[in-house]
Amino acid sequence: MAFHLGCLRALDDLGVLSKVSVLSSVSGGSVIAALYAYNDESFAEFELRVQTLLRKGLVGGIAHQTLFSPETPKIVAAQLTSGICAAVGRLVRLGGSALALAGADRESIGQFTQRFQAPFPRFASRSTAFERHLRKRVFGELTVNQVARKGLDVVLNATELSTGTAFRFGSQETGTWRYGRLAGAPPHVSKAVAASACFPGLLPSFDEFMDFEKDGKKTRHRVMLTDGGIYDNLGITCLLPGRSAEFSTNVSDIDFIIACDAGQGMPSGTARPYLWSSRMLMTVNTIHRRTHSLSYDLLHRMKDTGQIKGFLLPYLGQIDERLPYISDDLVRRHETFDYPTDFSPMKEIDIERLGLRGEQLTKLLFDHYQPNF
């Protein structure tokens, strides 16, 4: 969020921000995207509001809503229920494995054990507490269709885990191509932001039944929503040229993409993933970095084939020596590289340093690649 604030500050200074027609975001970027899109205040007021939120953090609010709110008994009950179901499910699967070894029919065993895999939606959790805090303290009762910035469409991207697809909360419409468009009233901004920023390592997925419309038919499905960065960490798949509104939500006509990436970039190489947990973490990070690279390649291909006029990629983890040039006052990569990605309160110096790097990189790239934008 701090890095993105600097990128937006640069776009505002350059007179570009007011020309943006679609704002697409994932993960923590959805918090700042919604703060900007759903309040028609001056940039200075917006910046002050973001900085205040960064200084306070969101961890305290999530903890309070988890432990000391009317929802607390529901969260405890949901945790107990899920724990019991998980334990029963493990026992049943172990029994099924034994039966399979004994020669029992595998298909029948699979149908039986399937009944014990997450049978009940997680009706309350730390994630619903996160959404509750955002609604009470940040976004109120605003819904995703109530964008305050004139001429701006908003897409807050989440991931639907059951189908492994993108789930997009949009100012135009909300849904996923597998199930269709969400029926009924537009979702609250707080729900869209919480789902998009629901990092699975820290927060459980939103787990609930939703009503959809597709091809003139209404259906009801259980969906499990988590961080949008799992599916697309740049948030650009919803902007791809040539998408059909028949199969995809929030289709827009885009000719230039500014992809602000707060990823830390290439690892230092000092890690030694020896134990199981460190191996798994490095495996996930490697897959994540690879999908990042594919997204960068996609941007280049779209530009080279004329599908878009161009793109810019202000990147927190950018290796400084590969920049077109380096200004004397540039906040260097090593000064921000190890900053953690979480919702903890931030020190003023860290907000300033991360934000300034975002501003400097964005202006540098515009100056070199798009001086007459």
Side-chain angles (χ1 to χ4, degrees):
M1 287 176 63
F3 178 76
H4 291 327
L5 179 60
C7 296
L8 292 177
R9 184 193 304 137
L11 296 179
D12 184 63
D13 288 345
L14 294 168
V16 175
L17 190 56
S18 60
K19 300 177 182 179
V20 172
S21 59
V22 181
L23 184 59
S24 172
S25 63
V26 299
S27 199
S30 289
V31 181
I32 187 171
L35 285 170
Y36 173 77
Y38 292 94
N39 195 310
D40 192 18
E41 61 199 344
S42 69
F43 190 86
E45 292 171 315
F46 158 72
E47 183 170 19
L48 180 61
R49 199 152 56 98
V50 174
Q51 290 175 340
T52 300
L53 182 62
L54 290 173
R55 283 193 291 268
K56 292 178 64 176
L58 292 167
V59 170
I62 296 172
H64 179 81
Q65 292 299 328
T66 301
L67 300 172
F68 306 110
S69 78
E71 197 177 41
T72 299
K74 295 181 181 179
I75 296 175
V76 174
Q79 289 178 330
L80 289 174
T81 301
S82 62
I84 292 171
C85 289
V88 172
R90 281 194 292 270
L91 289 173
V92 170
R93 285 191 291 275
L94 286 172
S97 299
L99 288 172
L101 289 173
D105 179 64
R106 290 181 179 273
E107 183 176 352
S108 299
I109 294 171
Q111 292 175 353
F112 178 71
T113 58
Q114 182 67 29
R115 301 173 189 173
F116 295 90
Q117 296 181 21
F120 306 114
R122 186 184 281 108
F123 51 86
S125 65
R126 296 187 307 279
S127 297
T128 60
F130 179 26
E131 190 274 336
R132 185 182 177 91
H133 173 64
L134 290 176
R135 192 185 302 194
K136 289 176 65 70
R137 301 298 182 188
V138 184
F139 298 112
E141 298 299 319
L142 286 169
T143 53
V144 291
N145 61 315
Q146 295 177 308
V147 178
R149 304 284 176 177
K150 187 176 179 180
L152 182 67
D153 287 331
V154 178
V155 186
L156 306 173
N157 298 271
T159 301
E160 206 291 298
L161 285 179
S162 299
T163 57
T165 58
F167 190 102
R168 298 187 175 105
F169 294 87
S171 53
Q172 296 183 39
E173 55 204 354
T174 294
T176 173
W177 76 268
R178 285 285 295 269
Y179 299 144
R181 287 149 179 81
L182 198 66
H188 285 92
V189 173
S190 56
K191 176 63 170 292
V193 171
S196 179
C198 186
F199 182 64
L202 301 174
L203 296 168
S205 59
F206 283 87
D207 185 355
E208 60 190 87
F209 285 94
M210 292 184 175
D211 296 317
F212 296 88
E213 294 181 4
K214 185 175 183 181
D215 299 329
K217 298 179 181 179
K218 291 187 177 182
T219 56
R220 185 171 178 82
H221 297 278
R222 181 179 176 181
V223 298
M224 306 182 77
L225 303 179
T226 193
D227 193 311
I230 303 302
Y231 183 86
D232 170 19
N233 200 53
L234 282 186
I236 63 170
T237 56
C238 65
L239 307 176
L240 301 182
R243 293 192 310 137
S244 171
E246 184 178 355
F247 304 107
S248 186
T249 63
N250 297 282
V251 172
S252 302
D253 185 16
I254 300 298
D255 61 0
F256 195 94
I257 295 175
I258 304 167
C260 302
D261 184 354
Q264 293 180 329
M266 188 179 298
S268 63
T270 58
R272 297 293 178 264
Y274 182 77
L275 299 176
W276 182 89
S277 58
S278 60
R279 295 198 312 272
M280 292 303 100
L281 180 60
M282 185 58 71
T283 298
V284 171
N285 287 340
T286 301
I287 295 171
H288 186 66
R289 286 189 57 248
R290 182 56 186 156
T291 57
H292 246 71
S293 299
L294 293 174
S295 295
Y296 302 155
D297 292 342
L298 177 60
L299 288 170
H300 282 285
R301 287 200 305 272
M302 288 193 298
K303 177 181 179 297
D304 293 342
T305 58
Q307 292 177 283
I308 58 175
K309 293 179 180 178
F311 72 91
L312 289 178
L313 184 63
Y315 181 25
L316 176 63
Q318 170 72 53
I319 296 175
D320 297 334
E321 288 70 26
R322 296 181 183 177
L323 288 167
Y325 61 86
I326 300 176
S327 60
D328 294 337
D329 61 345
L330 177 69
V331 176
R332 305 304 291 263
R333 179 177 185 263
H334 70 267
E335 298 179 70
T336 61
F337 180 78
D338 289 327
Y339 199 85
T341 301
D342 54 27
F343 292 134
S344 298
M346 294 181 66
K347 296 180 180 178
E348 196 70 43
I349 183 63
D350 294 320
I351 298 173
E352 181 179 349
R353 184 181 292 125
L354 285 159
L356 185 55
R357 180 165 173 82
E359 179 183 359
Q360 291 173 331
L361 290 177
T362 304
K363 288 183 174 180
L364 184 155
L365 294 175
F366 262 98
D367 178 66
H368 184 77
Y369 293 108
Q370 298 289 332
N372 300 315
F373 188 86

